[in-house]
PDB file of all heavy atoms in Angstrom:
ATOM      1  N   ARG Q 138     110.171 147.265 114.660  1.00  0.00           N
ATOM      2  CA  ARG Q 138     110.958 146.904 113.554  1.00  0.00           C
ATOM      3  C   ARG Q 138     110.138 147.283 112.252  1.00  0.00           C
ATOM      4  O   ARG Q 138     110.687 147.829 111.302  1.00  0.00           O
ATOM      5  CB  ARG Q 138     111.160 145.430 113.477  1.00  0.00           C
ATOM      6  CG  ARG Q 138     111.981 144.763 112.239  1.00  0.00           C
ATOM      7  CD  ARG Q 138     112.169 143.352 112.356  1.00  0.00           C
ATOM      8  NE  ARG Q 138     111.070 142.584 112.865  1.00  0.00           N
ATOM      9  CZ  ARG Q 138     110.007 142.191 112.020  1.00  0.00           C
ATOM     10  NH1 ARG Q 138     110.008 142.550 110.817  1.00  0.00           N
ATOM     11  NH2 ARG Q 138     109.152 141.501 112.590  1.00  0.00           N
ATOM     12  N   LEU Q 139     108.827 147.013 112.273  1.00  0.00           N
ATOM     13  CA  LEU Q 139     108.029 147.291 111.100  1.00  0.00           C
ATOM     14  C   LEU Q 139     107.782 148.827 110.902  1.00  0.00           C
ATOM     15  O   LEU Q 139     107.678 149.253 109.773  1.00  0.00           O
ATOM     16  CB  LEU Q 139     106.661 146.525 111.230  1.00  0.00           C
ATOM     17  CG  LEU Q 139     106.746 145.069 111.133  1.00  0.00           C
ATOM     18  CD1 LEU Q 139     105.420 144.416 111.580  1.00  0.00           C
ATOM     19  CD2 LEU Q 139     107.168 144.662 109.692  1.00  0.00           C
ATOM     20  N   ARG Q 140     107.803 149.570 111.980  1.00  0.00           N
ATOM     21  CA  ARG Q 140     107.737 151.015 111.853  1.00  0.00           C
ATOM     22  C   ARG Q 140     108.971 151.528 111.037  1.00  0.00           C
ATOM     23  O   ARG Q 140     108.826 152.354 110.142  1.00  0.00           O
ATOM     24  CB  ARG Q 140     107.687 151.768 113.124  1.00  0.00           C
ATOM     25  CG  ARG Q 140     106.377 151.571 113.860  1.00  0.00           C
ATOM     26  CD  ARG Q 140     106.388 152.029 115.312  1.00  0.00           C
ATOM     27  NE  ARG Q 140     106.590 153.500 115.362  1.00  0.00           N
ATOM     28  CZ  ARG Q 140     107.138 154.211 116.366  1.00  0.00           C
ATOM     29  NH1 ARG Q 140     107.526 153.491 117.455  1.00  0.00           N
ATOM     30  NH2 ARG Q 140     107.178 155.440 116.310  1.00  0.00           N
ATOM     31  N   ARG Q 141     110.081 151.032 111.310  1.00  0.00           N
ATOM     32  CA  ARG Q 141     111.380 151.360 110.569  1.00  0.00           C
ATOM     33  C   ARG Q 141     111.241 150.903 109.083  1.00  0.00           C
ATOM     34  O   ARG Q 141     111.597 151.676 108.258  1.00  0.00           O
ATOM     35  CB  ARG Q 141     112.552 150.710 111.317  1.00  0.00           C
ATOM     36  CG  ARG Q 141     113.879 150.986 110.705  1.00  0.00           C
ATOM     37  CD  ARG Q 141     115.052 150.471 111.465  1.00  0.00           C
ATOM     38  NE  ARG Q 141     115.058 148.980 111.502  1.00  0.00           N
ATOM     39  CZ  ARG Q 141     114.837 148.263 112.646  1.00  0.00           C
ATOM     40  NH1 ARG Q 141     114.553 148.873 113.735  1.00  0.00           N
ATOM     41  NH2 ARG Q 141     114.883 146.931 112.564  1.00  0.00           N
ATOM     42  N   GLN Q 142     110.854 149.665 108.960  1.00  0.00           N
ATOM     43  CA  GLN Q 142     110.737 149.199 107.594  1.00  0.00           C
ATOM     44  C   GLN Q 142     109.705 149.955 106.767  1.00  0.00           C
ATOM     45  O   GLN Q 142     109.892 150.276 105.582  1.00  0.00           O
ATOM     46  CB  GLN Q 142     110.271 147.733 107.522  1.00  0.00           C
ATOM     47  CG  GLN Q 142     111.448 146.890 108.075  1.00  0.00           C
ATOM     48  CD  GLN Q 142     110.943 145.373 108.137  1.00  0.00           C
ATOM     49  OE1 GLN Q 142     109.866 145.043 107.888  1.00  0.00           O
ATOM     50  NE2 GLN Q 142     111.955 144.407 108.378  1.00  0.00           N
ATOM     51  N   ALA Q 143     108.627 150.403 107.418  1.00  0.00           N
ATOM     52  CA  ALA Q 143     107.572 151.174 106.727  1.00  0.00           C
ATOM     53  C   ALA Q 143     108.175 152.518 106.297  1.00  0.00           C
ATOM     54  O   ALA Q 143     107.854 152.994 105.186  1.00  0.00           O
ATOM     55  CB  ALA Q 143     106.341 151.317 107.528  1.00  0.00           C
ATOM     56  N   ALA Q 144     108.905 153.201 107.149  1.00  0.00           N
ATOM     57  CA  ALA Q 144     109.487 154.391 106.819  1.00  0.00           C
ATOM     58  C   ALA Q 144     110.494 154.278 105.692  1.00  0.00           C
ATOM     59  O   ALA Q 144     110.496 155.083 104.727  1.00  0.00           O
ATOM     60  CB  ALA Q 144     110.188 155.037 108.061  1.00  0.00           C
ATOM     61  N   GLU Q 145     111.284 153.278 105.706  1.00  0.00           N
ATOM     62  CA  GLU Q 145     112.277 153.038 104.698  1.00  0.00           C
ATOM     63  C   GLU Q 145     111.581 152.744 103.376  1.00  0.00           C
ATOM     64  O   GLU Q 145     112.046 153.186 102.220  1.00  0.00           O
ATOM     65  CB  GLU Q 145     113.237 151.924 105.094  1.00  0.00           C
ATOM     66  CG  GLU Q 145     114.160 152.249 106.177  1.00  0.00           C
ATOM     67  CD  GLU Q 145     115.008 151.091 106.678  1.00  0.00           C
ATOM     68  OE1 GLU Q 145     114.488 149.977 106.704  1.00  0.00           O
ATOM     69  OE2 GLU Q 145     116.177 151.376 107.026  1.00  0.00           O
ATOM     70  N   GLN Q 146     110.482 151.968 103.446  1.00  0.00           N
ATOM     71  CA  GLN Q 146     109.842 151.604 102.158  1.00  0.00           C
ATOM     72  C   GLN Q 146     109.101 152.934 101.631  1.00  0.00           C
ATOM     73  O   GLN Q 146     109.095 153.058 100.354  1.00  0.00           O
ATOM     74  CB  GLN Q 146     108.846 150.521 102.377  1.00  0.00           C
ATOM     75  CG  GLN Q 146     108.170 150.008 101.097  1.00  0.00           C
ATOM     76  CD  GLN Q 146     107.464 148.750 101.352  1.00  0.00           C
ATOM     77  OE1 GLN Q 146     107.769 147.965 102.169  1.00  0.00           O
ATOM     78  NE2 GLN Q 146     106.449 148.420 100.443  1.00  0.00           N
ATOM     79  N   ALA Q 147     108.619 153.762 102.409  1.00  0.00           N
ATOM     80  CA  ALA Q 147     108.034 155.054 101.861  1.00  0.00           C
ATOM     81  C   ALA Q 147     109.021 155.872 101.209  1.00  0.00           C
ATOM     82  O   ALA Q 147     108.844 156.465 100.070  1.00  0.00           O
ATOM     83  CB  ALA Q 147     107.338 155.872 103.072  1.00  0.00           C
ATOM     84  N   LEU Q 148     110.235 155.874 101.827  1.00  0.00           N
ATOM     85  CA  LEU Q 148     111.423 156.668 101.193  1.00  0.00           C
ATOM     86  C   LEU Q 148     111.734 156.023  99.857  1.00  0.00           C
ATOM     87  O   LEU Q 148     112.123 156.726  98.876  1.00  0.00           O
ATOM     88  CB  LEU Q 148     112.615 156.719 102.087  1.00  0.00           C
ATOM     89  CG  LEU Q 148     112.504 157.654 103.302  1.00  0.00           C
ATOM     90  CD1 LEU Q 148     113.731 157.393 104.178  1.00  0.00           C
ATOM     91  CD2 LEU Q 148     112.492 159.080 102.805  1.00  0.00           C
ATOM     92  N   ALA Q 149     111.752 154.728  99.751  1.00  0.00           N
ATOM     93  CA  ALA Q 149     112.150 153.999  98.540  1.00  0.00           C
ATOM     94  C   ALA Q 149     111.219 154.285  97.306  1.00  0.00           C
ATOM     95  O   ALA Q 149     111.594 154.119  96.150  1.00  0.00           O
ATOM     96  CB  ALA Q 149     112.263 152.509  98.808  1.00  0.00           C
ATOM     97  N   THR Q 150     110.013 154.676  97.570  1.00  0.00           N
ATOM     98  CA  THR Q 150     109.029 154.984  96.509  1.00  0.00           C
ATOM     99  C   THR Q 150     109.449 156.287  95.733  1.00  0.00           C
ATOM    100  O   THR Q 150     109.022 156.395  94.632  1.00  0.00           O
ATOM    101  CB  THR Q 150     107.660 155.230  97.022  1.00  0.00           C
ATOM    102  OG1 THR Q 150     107.630 156.484  97.828  1.00  0.00           O
ATOM    103  CG2 THR Q 150     107.087 154.081  97.828  1.00  0.00           C
ATOM    104  N   GLY Q 151     110.292 157.112  96.310  1.00  0.00           N
ATOM    105  CA  GLY Q 151     110.672 158.404  95.586  1.00  0.00           C
ATOM    106  C   GLY Q 151     109.685 159.426  95.801  1.00  0.00           C
ATOM    107  O   GLY Q 151     109.895 160.597  95.335  1.00  0.00           O
ATOM    108  N   GLN Q 152     108.449 159.191  96.364  1.00  0.00           N
ATOM    109  CA  GLN Q 152     107.399 160.124  96.574  1.00  0.00           C
ATOM    110  C   GLN Q 152     107.553 160.768  97.939  1.00  0.00           C
ATOM    111  O   GLN Q 152     106.698 161.670  98.284  1.00  0.00           O
ATOM    112  CB  GLN Q 152     106.097 159.571  96.342  1.00  0.00           C
ATOM    113  CG  GLN Q 152     105.848 158.950  95.010  1.00  0.00           C
ATOM    114  CD  GLN Q 152     104.569 158.236  94.861  1.00  0.00           C
ATOM    115  OE1 GLN Q 152     103.749 158.286  95.764  1.00  0.00           O
ATOM    116  NE2 GLN Q 152     104.343 157.507  93.729  1.00  0.00           N
ATOM    117  N   CYS Q 153     108.422 160.346  98.816  1.00  0.00           N
ATOM    118  CA  CYS Q 153     108.546 160.864 100.140  1.00  0.00           C
ATOM    119  C   CYS Q 153     109.916 161.394 100.278  1.00  0.00           C
ATOM    120  O   CYS Q 153     111.009 160.655 100.292  1.00  0.00           O
ATOM    121  CB  CYS Q 153     108.324 159.682 101.108  1.00  0.00           C
ATOM    122  SG  CYS Q 153     108.389 160.237 102.852  1.00  0.00           S
ATOM    123  N   GLY Q 154     110.069 162.686 100.419  1.00  0.00           N
ATOM    124  CA  GLY Q 154     111.356 163.359 100.558  1.00  0.00           C
ATOM    125  C   GLY Q 154     111.976 163.062 101.894  1.00  0.00           C
ATOM    126  O   GLY Q 154     113.185 162.851 102.053  1.00  0.00           O
ATOM    127  N   ARG Q 155     111.186 163.175 102.880  1.00  0.00           N
ATOM    128  CA  ARG Q 155     111.646 163.020 104.328  1.00  0.00           C
ATOM    129  C   ARG Q 155     110.584 162.495 105.178  1.00  0.00           C
ATOM    130  O   ARG Q 155     109.393 162.959 105.115  1.00  0.00           O
ATOM    131  CB  ARG Q 155     112.060 164.388 104.835  1.00  0.00           C
ATOM    132  CG  ARG Q 155     112.600 164.269 106.203  1.00  0.00           C
ATOM    133  CD  ARG Q 155     113.207 165.651 106.767  1.00  0.00           C
ATOM    134  NE  ARG Q 155     113.867 165.586 107.898  1.00  0.00           N
ATOM    135  CZ  ARG Q 155     113.942 166.509 108.750  1.00  0.00           C
ATOM    136  NH1 ARG Q 155     113.420 167.667 108.517  1.00  0.00           N
ATOM    137  NH2 ARG Q 155     114.658 166.349 109.905  1.00  0.00           N
TER     138      ARG Q 155
END
Side-chain angles (χ1 to χ4, degrees):
R138 179 178 45 79
L139 292 169
R140 288 171 68 205
R141 180 176 63 250
Q142 289 177 351
E145 290 174 325
Q146 190 163 332
L148 284 171
T150 65
Q152 299 175 9
C153 182
R155 183 175 187 209

